[in-house]
Amino acid sequence: MLEVFPALSHFQIKTPGCVMRFVGKEYRKHSNPFVIGLLNGLMIICGPLQAMYVMAAGTGSWTGGAAILFFFGIGTLPLLLGFGFLTSLLSANLTPKLLKASGVIVMILGAIMLNRGLAVTGTGVDFNTLVARVSQKLSPTVAETPSCDTEQTIHMDVLKSSFSPNQFTLREGVPVKWVINGKELNECNKTIVIPQYKLKIELKEEHKLSNLHPRKVA
């Protein structure tokens, strides 16, 4: 779409012929744009739509699944109608520019989804983790260690979109008390997974861990 790599224009995933023949047959039978739109919505290979299909099937209830797809359709309808109306007002000269802008948006969304997938794997190579590591080296957050070296305490607040702070420097061999303050818990941050220590922490309003023994992680 950006015409940066012209050779990629020859690489296309085509819709199966049986599906195209079915859509073409229905298109010839129905000239109503509403019916054609329904056919496109049901047959098109759309990632978000497929995800909603899976989510609806996962409810195990036909009423729950129908409700999910209904509200998904209602939520996307204004955007689709508005986009269609906007494109009808644009001149033909703006169409190539619109396609290039769409290509940029698709690449940005792809990078965001890739980064989220890397974050879920827990490998530590996602963008946020790499930035946190660099910032930690530049200005490390050192845990509070008593003079007797029997325990070191770290405090962390759980916010809507982040953990504050999200990196700590610990003294190896000294037990750790980790105090987590769940200030703004939601479905995305109520669980903390630490693959290096095989920990999965389900957070409530207040959660404390003690007797952790930090070790070097490759």
Side-chain angles (χ1 to χ4, degrees), residues 64-80:
I68 288 177
L69 292 178
F70 173 76
F71 286 108
F72 175 77
I74 293 298
T76 56
L77 184 61
L79 178 62
L80 295 177

Side-chain angles (χ1 to χ4, degrees), residues 173-191:
V174 180
V176 179
K177 176 184 289 185
W178 187 3
V179 182
I180 304 175
N181 184 12
K183 289 185 175 181
E184 300 172 347
L185 294 181
N186 53 47
E187 292 298 321
C188 296
N189 63 15
K190 68 178 183 180
T191 302

